[in-house]
Amino acid sequence: MNREKWTVQRILDAKGRCRIGALTAYDYPMARLLDEAGVPLLLVGDSLGMVVLGYPDTTHVSMADMVHHVRAVARARPTALVGADLPYGSYDTPERALTHARELQAAGADFVKAEGGVEILPQIRAILAAGIPFCGHLGMLPQHVLEEGGKYRIKGRDEAGRLRLLSDARELEQAGAFACVLELVTPPVARELTAACPRMVTIGIGSGPDCDGQILVTPDLVGGFPWFTPRFVTPQARTGEEIRAAASQWLQGLNPPS
Ligand code: KIV
């Protein structure tokens, strides 16, 4: 197996050749395990807020939270390309976006990700002009869930939505984003965006099979957050149940029936 460090160029070269697998990681052991499994791209996502920190949504995640967890993942020295989310409220101006992107990079991120299209282009340009690789995030934007009435809605269902996504994706590619997460985009529109952007890889989540890559929140994949599993995920393990069983067996062993 090729254990060379994954670079942005290596990820771009995979477009049209093989599907890119990406998973979230928030701490040292998970980053090591996923890296040893050969996952090319690890994202310290702000899903951290729900699946690790117990917040109801991602809007509560701070820069301090992100930096703490990016450092933990970076300590695993993964060969995977490591990305980090700019959290809610951290990229409302180009200056703040750049300051915070630099902080995440200093903590060990190889690239940063932020949610939105043309409305955050000045922020994206500032980040890219400083030489920090950037990944976009279009479709359902979890940092806007409260504006959406608390619902995670599918995007691209009507013509206006399709055209907006297409124009956002093209603008991101033109600005120099190397990748873009497509979250809860209708599969035909995700396929169209993937074909329309030859210099940017699309990484789908709940957006059908025809993206350049797929990303999942790792606890969803391994049953590590058993209280909620998105409809589009089939867990491959039941680690939550195993932890409960191990702890309860150990407790019973402390006080065996006499
Ligand atoms: O926060 C996150 O984990 C993400 C992925 C779901 C793409 O943005």
Side-chain angles (χ1 to χ4, degrees):
M1 205 200 332
N2 184 353
R3 299 292 295 163
E4 269 170 42
K5 175 76 183 171
W6 279 88
T7 59
V8 163
Q9 192 55 52
R10 235 180 120 190
I11 296 283
L12 278 168
D13 289 346
K15 187 167 174 112
R17 296 209 173 98
C18 63
R19 293 250 163 80
I20 301 149
L23 287 170
T24 62
Y26 315 101
D27 59 26
Y28 174 88
M30 191 54 85
R32 254 189 96 164
L33 290 169
L34 300 178
D35 198 52
E36 286 168 10
V39 178
L41 195 154
L42 296 179
L43 175 72
V44 187
D46 59 359
S47 50
L48 164 73
M50 286 94 91
V51 297
V52 176
L53 301 178
Y55 293 137
D57 56 61
T58 60
T59 64
H60 302 263
V61 177
S62 66
M63 266 305 290
D65 293 330
M66 290 304 302
V67 165
H68 180 75
H69 286 272
V70 171
R71 284 196 182 127
V73 165
R75 272 181 219 116
R77 305 176 72 80
T79 56
L81 194 70
V82 174
D85 268 332
L86 281 160
Y88 181 73
S90 71
Y91 53 101
D92 39 9
T93 65
E95 295 71 27
R96 281 168 54 76
L98 179 55
T99 301
H100 293 131
R102 283 196 167 122
E103 271 182 59
L104 294 173
Q105 190 183 41
D110 299 312
F111 70 90
V112 298
K113 172 166 90 58
E115 297 180 6
V118 288
E119 71 281 9
I120 61 160
L121 264 184
Q123 286 88 321
I124 296 172
R125 290 201 180 108
I127 290 167
L128 285 164
I132 302 172
F134 182 80
C135 173
H137 187 142
L138 297 174
M140 171 58 209
L141 307 181
Q143 292 178 6
H144 293 260
V145 68
L146 298 179
E147 293 147 46
E148 300 253 340
K151 295 267 187 314
Y152 293 82
R153 295 177 205 278
I154 296 175
K155 300 293 173 177
R157 281 189 148 145
D158 56 14
E159 188 57 6
R162 181 183 83 82
L163 290 175
R164 198 172 323 117
L165 283 168
L166 198 54
S167 127
D168 280 340
R170 286 193 169 127
E171 291 281 0
L172 290 186
E173 182 189 43
Q174 213 168 350
F178 79 100
C180 184
V181 166
L182 302 180
E183 179 158 0
L184 295 183
V185 171
T186 63
V189 174
R191 188 186 325 122
E192 190 181 358
L193 300 191
T194 301
C197 297
R199 290 173 285 112
M200 179 173 84
V201 298
T202 60
I203 304 180
I205 174 160
S207 299
D210 297 323
C211 300
D212 296 309
Q214 296 288 331
I215 186 162
L216 287 180
V217 168
T218 300
D220 295 342
L221 178 70
V222 302
F225 192 81
W227 309 279
F228 173 76
T229 306
R231 274 200 311 273
F232 54 84
V233 181
T234 307
Q236 304 293 313
R238 305 261 168 214
T239 57
E241 284 172 23
E242 292 204 11
I243 290 168
R244 277 197 205 111
S248 114
Q249 263 179 0
W250 176 77
L251 274 179
Q252 283 165 20
L254 286 181
N255 295 294
S258 44

